[in-house]
């Protein structure tokens, strides 16, 4: 392996490699200024119940990277901000079904730098996680 690197070093200048890496980094930073649409999994904390909801978001590349890596924590949403109904699952357990439009609105308020285009399938969770006084059905 040492012979390979010695052979490469003889034909490629270290200064060239360093400038090539610097140009790649500057190109990448310039590309982050463009607007992108991507899938994003929003990690939510709804009244203490943790769910992951797939979303399609649009925004500037720097903001998208910021929310992907900086917001690894859960976004706190309360049930009184959401429209939902309580129904029965196949096991005859009462579950909460959240309407996607209300969740999209609640997320848009919390994530103002990027646009929430759509919200994917929202998993249902047991009614025990919801305060009975907040139910809208």
């Amino acid at each position: 392996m040492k012979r390979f690197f010695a052979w490469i070093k003889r034909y490629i200048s270290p200064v060239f490699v360093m400038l090539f890496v610097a140009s790649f980094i500057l190109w990448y930073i310039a590309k982050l200024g463009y607007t992108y649409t991507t899938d994003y999994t929003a990690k939510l904390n709804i009244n203490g119940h943790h769910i992951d909801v797939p979303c399609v978001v649009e925004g500037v590349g720097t903001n998208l990277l910021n929310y992907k890596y900086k917001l690894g924590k859960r976004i706190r949403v309360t049930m009184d901000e959401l429209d939902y109904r309580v129904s029965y699952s196949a096991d005859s357990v009462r579950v909460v079904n959240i309407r996607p439009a209300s969740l999209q609105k609640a997320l848009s308020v919390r994530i103002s730098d990027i646009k929430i285009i759509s919200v994917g399938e929202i998993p249902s969770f047991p009614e025990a996680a919801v305060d009975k006084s907040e139910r809208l059905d």
Side-chain angles (χ1 to χ4, degrees):
M1 194 60 130
K2 288 183 180 182
R3 291 180 69 192
F4 176 73
F5 285 121
W7 181 76
I8 291 291
K9 189 175 181 180
R10 187 171 49 175
Y11 290 104
I12 299 175
S13 170
V15 174
F16 172 77
V17 172
M18 189 171 56
L19 289 175
F20 183 75
V21 170
S23 68
F24 174 77
I25 291 170
L26 291 174
W27 171 81
Y28 192 76
I29 290 170
K31 285 292 183 181
L32 286 177
Y34 293 178
T35 301
Y36 296 99
T37 301
T38 186
D39 295 327
Y40 174 72
T41 301
K43 298 174 182 177
L44 303 178
N45 178 357
I46 301 177
N47 286 12
H49 189 76
H50 301 288
I51 61 172
D52 294 340
V53 178
C55 301
V56 176
V57 297
E58 180 181 275
V60 178
T62 53
N63 294 340
L64 292 174
L65 277 179
N66 185 27
Y67 280 106
K68 182 172 177 97
Y69 294 112
K70 187 178 176 184
L71 273 182
K73 58 187 178 191
R74 300 217 173 250
I75 301 169
R76 177 169 262 150
V77 179
T78 60
M79 287 301 290
D80 54 353
E81 298 176 62
L82 303 172
D83 293 333
Y84 65 95
R85 63 183 170 83
V86 178
S87 62
Y88 287 96
S89 68
D91 308 358
S92 298
V93 175
R94 291 174 61 93
V95 294
V96 175
N97 297 314
I98 299 172
R99 293 189 177 95
S102 68
L103 183 59
Q104 182 177 354
K105 182 179 176 184
L107 285 175
S108 295
V109 169
R110 285 170 176 71
I111 304 175
S112 59
D113 296 347
I114 59 177
K115 181 181 177 183
I116 309 291
I117 295 175
S118 68
V119 175
E121 184 178 341
I122 303 169
S124 300
F125 53 91
E127 184 187 21
V130 179
D131 185 9
K132 305 274 188 227
S133 64
E134 297 176 354
R135 205 170 61 221
L136 300 176
D137 65 347

